[in-house]
Amino acid sequence: MQLWPTLLLSIPFLPAGLSNFISPRQVSVDAWVSAEEPIARSSIFRNIGNQGEFAKSAAPGVVIASPSTSSPDYYYQWTRDAALVYKTLLNTYINGNTSMETLLEQYIDHQAGLQRLETRSGGYTSGGLGEPKFYVDGSAFNENWGRPQPDGPALRTIVLAKYANILLDAGRADYVQSRLYDGKLPTESVIKADLEYVSHNWEITNGFDLWEEITGLHFFTMMVQHRALIEGAELADRLNDPGAAEYYRRQAAAIKARLPQFWDAQKGYLVGTLRSSQARSGEDCGTLLGSIHGNGKRGMGIYTPGSDEVLATLQALVDSMKDLYPLNQNPEAPGIAVGRYPSDVYDGVGTSIANPWFICTFTTSEILYSALVEFNDRGNLTVSSISERFFKQFSSSVSAGSTYGPGTSQWTDILGGMKTYADSFIAVAQRHAAVNGSMSEQFGRIDGFMKGARDLTWSYASFLSMRWARNGEVAF
Ligand SMILES: *[C@@H]1O[C@H](CO)[C@@H](O)[C@H](O)[C@H]1NC(C)=O
Ligand SMILES: *[C@@H]1O[C@H](CO)[C@@H](O)[C@H](O)[C@H]1NC(C)=O
Ligand SMILES: *[C@@H]1O[C@H](CO)[C@@H](O)[C@H](O)[C@H]1NC(C)=O
């Protein structure tokens, strides 16, 4: 936190408006990441209902997507965004901030209320849990929207099942069994309700993707559904509900068997959506997010960040962005700015030309850091025909079929090269974030200035998630 005074001193000598281009160049990626961490934390708290200064009128425990109420209006709560934000808060709790307990209980109480609303997606046991977006007072949003979005209940399960296990370890079975997992049908508990929804609805093809634009079967959604069912089954076993555990595991196995269909051998990457309502080339930042949140620290053994397919997909996504954004052609650009998918037209307010996103730029680096953790844990890495191109950029002497470990020059070059590559994406975000550390949703593909909803809560959550992986402590 000694950084800002230096940065601020330099501003008066710069032409107005240039400060967010120039000042971040003066500090290293390490220094910027350290300075940004507390800012990202406090920026998340500012957007949490009731207590946060930007979310005073929202109910306790609610995560507003952004304080922006017009152009665009993001002053709502999305189930997905809220779960991903609470995932970072729970990680903070695991790392010692026990004062988070009140907030987690407010989240649980509020989500239980949302589950019971009659919405345009349905009711409590008739599909309503797939409703994606709510007013910040906890009432239903009944305008036209891309619904249902079946990733929300799966993400909420991943967060709350982790919390339930922590509470059980601490001897709080009463709370867990009354609020989170009662093992009854019909259920009156949040996790069980979500698991029933996920296990019975994962095959629907009218569900929208995480970007709320297309229907089909989505890699991101199926990866988090798979993980939610596995972790839900473990919780069901722990709470003596073996029939349900068996059923959830069977559905997880069926999803796992389906996931390889996303691999397009001709293209050489995992496509974002099958049976899509819109033709697309298929490179999608959502696929990288699916690998991260569908695996977590423990890993689910499928399409982990260090897998050949995910690394090849990362490279395909980055390549598709390289020529797309003029920003990336600037010889002084420290790296490649990454957006959601190449044919995107959402400019943050309406449709015209799309821009790079903070979430996607951080997520690209997070995959690389997480892969490094995987390689180090395993003590070696194997190059295949799928990943050969990816690894060759760091070590030209690698060949498909070979395994490299410590003591080989390939191992040293690859690990060092991947770290530098990962940092280059952060350097891009660093260059386009505000001097005070504030981050919106997007930054201009031409001028690099922040665009779209200001102080996007998910931008800060994606920074924190990346930051843990960069530290070698991948989030749960
Ligand atoms: C711990 O959590 C509380 C909210 O419960 C928050 O106000 C505080 O800033 C957090 N501390 C850190 C270091 O994140
Ligand atoms: C790579 O590491 C794994 C896990 O440590 C080990 O089982 C395997 O034998 C290693 N492979 C080679 C070729 O060294
Ligand atoms: C940070 O700076 C931006 C302008 O770049 C401004 O809109 C925002 O309000 C500032 N945030 C805080 C918390 O001061």
Side-chain angles (χ1 to χ4, degrees), residues 303-321:
Y303 300 131
T304 60
S307 65
D308 298 331
E309 294 87 350
V310 169
L311 293 173
T313 302
L314 177 147
Q315 199 52 51
L317 178 69
V318 172
D319 289 348
S320 77
M321 299 290 163

PDB file of all heavy atoms in Angstrom, residues 303-321:
ATOM      1  N   TYR A 303     -10.728 -32.357 -17.469  1.00  0.00           N
ATOM      2  CA  TYR A 303     -10.444 -31.030 -18.029  1.00  0.00           C
ATOM      3  C   TYR A 303      -9.955 -30.059 -16.961  1.00  0.00           C
ATOM      4  O   TYR A 303     -10.483 -28.958 -16.796  1.00  0.00           O
ATOM      5  CB  TYR A 303     -11.666 -30.497 -18.790  1.00  0.00           C
ATOM      6  CG  TYR A 303     -12.062 -31.408 -19.937  1.00  0.00           C
ATOM      7  CD1 TYR A 303     -13.369 -31.833 -20.127  1.00  0.00           C
ATOM      8  CD2 TYR A 303     -11.088 -31.877 -20.821  1.00  0.00           C
ATOM      9  CE1 TYR A 303     -13.711 -32.694 -21.167  1.00  0.00           C
ATOM     10  CE2 TYR A 303     -11.419 -32.738 -21.864  1.00  0.00           C
ATOM     11  CZ  TYR A 303     -12.720 -33.137 -22.024  1.00  0.00           C
ATOM     12  OH  TYR A 303     -13.039 -33.988 -23.054  1.00  0.00           O
ATOM     13  N   THR A 304      -8.933 -30.486 -16.243  1.00  0.00           N
ATOM     14  CA  THR A 304      -8.300 -29.610 -15.256  1.00  0.00           C
ATOM     15  C   THR A 304      -7.503 -28.527 -16.009  1.00  0.00           C
ATOM     16  O   THR A 304      -7.201 -28.700 -17.201  1.00  0.00           O
ATOM     17  CB  THR A 304      -7.333 -30.412 -14.366  1.00  0.00           C
ATOM     18  OG1 THR A 304      -6.335 -30.992 -15.214  1.00  0.00           O
ATOM     19  CG2 THR A 304      -8.066 -31.501 -13.599  1.00  0.00           C
ATOM     20  N   PRO A 305      -7.145 -27.437 -15.333  1.00  0.00           N
ATOM     21  CA  PRO A 305      -6.382 -26.379 -16.010  1.00  0.00           C
ATOM     22  C   PRO A 305      -5.102 -26.886 -16.670  1.00  0.00           C
ATOM     23  O   PRO A 305      -4.700 -26.366 -17.708  1.00  0.00           O
ATOM     24  CB  PRO A 305      -6.092 -25.393 -14.883  1.00  0.00           C
ATOM     25  CG  PRO A 305      -7.280 -25.535 -13.973  1.00  0.00           C
ATOM     26  CD  PRO A 305      -7.582 -27.014 -13.979  1.00  0.00           C
ATOM     27  N   GLY A 306      -4.470 -27.904 -16.110  1.00  0.00           N
ATOM     28  CA  GLY A 306      -3.224 -28.404 -16.696  1.00  0.00           C
ATOM     29  C   GLY A 306      -3.427 -29.479 -17.748  1.00  0.00           C
ATOM     30  O   GLY A 306      -2.442 -30.018 -18.267  1.00  0.00           O
ATOM     31  N   SER A 307      -4.678 -29.782 -18.075  1.00  0.00           N
ATOM     32  CA  SER A 307      -4.906 -30.834 -19.069  1.00  0.00           C
ATOM     33  C   SER A 307      -4.555 -30.334 -20.472  1.00  0.00           C
ATOM     34  O   SER A 307      -4.623 -29.140 -20.760  1.00  0.00           O
ATOM     35  CB  SER A 307      -6.368 -31.294 -19.024  1.00  0.00           C
ATOM     36  OG  SER A 307      -7.228 -30.249 -19.421  1.00  0.00           O
ATOM     37  N   ASP A 308      -4.201 -31.258 -21.346  1.00  0.00           N
ATOM     38  CA  ASP A 308      -3.831 -30.894 -22.719  1.00  0.00           C
ATOM     39  C   ASP A 308      -4.939 -30.117 -23.407  1.00  0.00           C
ATOM     40  O   ASP A 308      -4.696 -29.138 -24.095  1.00  0.00           O
ATOM     41  CB  ASP A 308      -3.585 -32.174 -23.545  1.00  0.00           C
ATOM     42  CG  ASP A 308      -2.446 -32.994 -22.993  1.00  0.00           C
ATOM     43  OD1 ASP A 308      -1.545 -32.396 -22.392  1.00  0.00           O
ATOM     44  OD2 ASP A 308      -2.479 -34.226 -23.165  1.00  0.00           O
ATOM     45  N   GLU A 309      -6.176 -30.599 -23.222  1.00  0.00           N
ATOM     46  CA  GLU A 309      -7.299 -29.979 -23.935  1.00  0.00           C
ATOM     47  C   GLU A 309      -7.528 -28.549 -23.482  1.00  0.00           C
ATOM     48  O   GLU A 309      -7.825 -27.666 -24.291  1.00  0.00           O
ATOM     49  CB  GLU A 309      -8.588 -30.792 -23.731  1.00  0.00           C
ATOM     50  CG  GLU A 309      -8.566 -32.188 -24.354  1.00  0.00           C
ATOM     51  CD  GLU A 309      -7.977 -33.237 -23.414  1.00  0.00           C
ATOM     52  OE1 GLU A 309      -7.413 -32.863 -22.348  1.00  0.00           O
ATOM     53  OE2 GLU A 309      -8.067 -34.439 -23.752  1.00  0.00           O
ATOM     54  N   VAL A 310      -7.421 -28.306 -22.183  1.00  0.00           N
ATOM     55  CA  VAL A 310      -7.684 -26.948 -21.680  1.00  0.00           C
ATOM     56  C   VAL A 310      -6.555 -25.992 -22.091  1.00  0.00           C
ATOM     57  O   VAL A 310      -6.807 -24.858 -22.492  1.00  0.00           O
ATOM     58  CB  VAL A 310      -7.923 -26.960 -20.151  1.00  0.00           C
ATOM     59  CG1 VAL A 310      -7.935 -25.545 -19.579  1.00  0.00           C
ATOM     60  CG2 VAL A 310      -9.248 -27.669 -19.842  1.00  0.00           C
ATOM     61  N   LEU A 311      -5.327 -26.464 -22.052  1.00  0.00           N
ATOM     62  CA  LEU A 311      -4.216 -25.593 -22.475  1.00  0.00           C
ATOM     63  C   LEU A 311      -4.316 -25.283 -23.966  1.00  0.00           C
ATOM     64  O   LEU A 311      -4.065 -24.148 -24.394  1.00  0.00           O
ATOM     65  CB  LEU A 311      -2.873 -26.235 -22.119  1.00  0.00           C
ATOM     66  CG  LEU A 311      -2.621 -26.325 -20.609  1.00  0.00           C
ATOM     67  CD1 LEU A 311      -1.354 -27.126 -20.318  1.00  0.00           C
ATOM     68  CD2 LEU A 311      -2.545 -24.944 -19.960  1.00  0.00           C
ATOM     69  N   ALA A 312      -4.723 -26.272 -24.771  1.00  0.00           N
ATOM     70  CA  ALA A 312      -4.902 -26.022 -26.206  1.00  0.00           C
ATOM     71  C   ALA A 312      -6.056 -25.044 -26.430  1.00  0.00           C
ATOM     72  O   ALA A 312      -6.001 -24.185 -27.317  1.00  0.00           O
ATOM     73  CB  ALA A 312      -5.166 -27.340 -26.942  1.00  0.00           C
ATOM     74  N   THR A 313      -7.095 -25.159 -25.610  1.00  0.00           N
ATOM     75  CA  THR A 313      -8.251 -24.263 -25.734  1.00  0.00           C
ATOM     76  C   THR A 313      -7.867 -22.840 -25.345  1.00  0.00           C
ATOM     77  O   THR A 313      -8.289 -21.865 -25.984  1.00  0.00           O
ATOM     78  CB  THR A 313      -9.404 -24.779 -24.848  1.00  0.00           C
ATOM     79  OG1 THR A 313      -9.718 -26.120 -25.260  1.00  0.00           O
ATOM     80  CG2 THR A 313     -10.633 -23.903 -24.977  1.00  0.00           C
ATOM     81  N   LEU A 314      -7.064 -22.722 -24.294  1.00  0.00           N
ATOM     82  CA  LEU A 314      -6.583 -21.395 -23.882  1.00  0.00           C
ATOM     83  C   LEU A 314      -5.839 -20.736 -25.048  1.00  0.00           C
ATOM     84  O   LEU A 314      -6.076 -19.579 -25.384  1.00  0.00           O
ATOM     85  CB  LEU A 314      -5.670 -21.534 -22.664  1.00  0.00           C
ATOM     86  CG  LEU A 314      -5.015 -20.257 -22.120  1.00  0.00           C
ATOM     87  CD1 LEU A 314      -4.866 -20.362 -20.596  1.00  0.00           C
ATOM     88  CD2 LEU A 314      -3.665 -19.967 -22.745  1.00  0.00           C
ATOM     89  N   GLN A 315      -4.944 -21.516 -25.679  1.00  0.00           N
ATOM     90  CA  GLN A 315      -4.161 -20.937 -26.767  1.00  0.00           C
ATOM     91  C   GLN A 315      -5.053 -20.535 -27.936  1.00  0.00           C
ATOM     92  O   GLN A 315      -4.862 -19.477 -28.544  1.00  0.00           O
ATOM     93  CB  GLN A 315      -3.076 -21.923 -27.220  1.00  0.00           C
ATOM     94  CG  GLN A 315      -1.968 -21.251 -28.000  1.00  0.00           C
ATOM     95  CD  GLN A 315      -1.404 -20.043 -27.235  1.00  0.00           C
ATOM     96  OE1 GLN A 315      -1.049 -20.134 -26.066  1.00  0.00           O
ATOM     97  NE2 GLN A 315      -1.354 -18.878 -27.897  1.00  0.00           N
ATOM     98  N   ALA A 316      -6.065 -21.355 -28.240  1.00  0.00           N
ATOM     99  CA  ALA A 316      -6.978 -21.030 -29.340  1.00  0.00           C
ATOM    100  C   ALA A 316      -7.754 -19.748 -29.034  1.00  0.00           C
ATOM    101  O   ALA A 316      -7.948 -18.900 -29.906  1.00  0.00           O
ATOM    102  CB  ALA A 316      -7.944 -22.195 -29.579  1.00  0.00           C
ATOM    103  N   LEU A 317      -8.181 -19.596 -27.783  1.00  0.00           N
ATOM    104  CA  LEU A 317      -8.919 -18.385 -27.397  1.00  0.00           C
ATOM    105  C   LEU A 317      -8.021 -17.155 -27.519  1.00  0.00           C
ATOM    106  O   LEU A 317      -8.408 -16.130 -28.101  1.00  0.00           O
ATOM    107  CB  LEU A 317      -9.450 -18.522 -25.963  1.00  0.00           C
ATOM    108  CG  LEU A 317     -10.212 -17.303 -25.425  1.00  0.00           C
ATOM    109  CD1 LEU A 317     -11.543 -17.114 -26.133  1.00  0.00           C
ATOM    110  CD2 LEU A 317     -10.436 -17.424 -23.907  1.00  0.00           C
ATOM    111  N   VAL A 318      -6.820 -17.253 -26.982  1.00  0.00           N
ATOM    112  CA  VAL A 318      -5.885 -16.117 -27.042  1.00  0.00           C
ATOM    113  C   VAL A 318      -5.577 -15.771 -28.500  1.00  0.00           C
ATOM    114  O   VAL A 318      -5.585 -14.598 -28.890  1.00  0.00           O
ATOM    115  CB  VAL A 318      -4.597 -16.427 -26.254  1.00  0.00           C
ATOM    116  CG1 VAL A 318      -3.551 -15.341 -26.475  1.00  0.00           C
ATOM    117  CG2 VAL A 318      -4.902 -16.585 -24.771  1.00  0.00           C
ATOM    118  N   ASP A 319      -5.329 -16.793 -29.328  1.00  0.00           N
ATOM    119  CA  ASP A 319      -5.042 -16.543 -30.744  1.00  0.00           C
ATOM    120  C   ASP A 319      -6.205 -15.834 -31.426  1.00  0.00           C
ATOM    121  O   ASP A 319      -6.003 -14.964 -32.265  1.00  0.00           O
ATOM    122  CB  ASP A 319      -4.748 -17.863 -31.478  1.00  0.00           C
ATOM    123  CG  ASP A 319      -3.394 -18.451 -31.077  1.00  0.00           C
ATOM    124  OD1 ASP A 319      -2.605 -17.737 -30.424  1.00  0.00           O
ATOM    125  OD2 ASP A 319      -3.145 -19.636 -31.399  1.00  0.00           O
ATOM    126  N   SER A 320      -7.429 -16.214 -31.048  1.00  0.00           N
ATOM    127  CA  SER A 320      -8.596 -15.601 -31.693  1.00  0.00           C
ATOM    128  C   SER A 320      -8.745 -14.136 -31.292  1.00  0.00           C
ATOM    129  O   SER A 320      -9.427 -13.367 -31.971  1.00  0.00           O
ATOM    130  CB  SER A 320      -9.875 -16.384 -31.344  1.00  0.00           C
ATOM    131  OG  SER A 320     -10.317 -16.074 -30.022  1.00  0.00           O
ATOM    132  N   MET A 321      -8.133 -13.735 -30.184  1.00  0.00           N
ATOM    133  CA  MET A 321      -8.260 -12.363 -29.685  1.00  0.00           C
ATOM    134  C   MET A 321      -7.116 -11.461 -30.178  1.00  0.00           C
ATOM    135  O   MET A 321      -7.215 -10.251 -30.189  1.00  0.00           O
ATOM    136  CB  MET A 321      -8.241 -12.358 -28.148  1.00  0.00           C
ATOM    137  CG  MET A 321      -9.369 -13.134 -27.507  1.00  0.00           C
ATOM    138  SD  MET A 321     -10.930 -12.274 -27.779  1.00  0.00           S
ATOM    139  CE  MET A 321     -12.130 -13.562 -27.424  1.00  0.00           C
TER     140      MET A 321
END
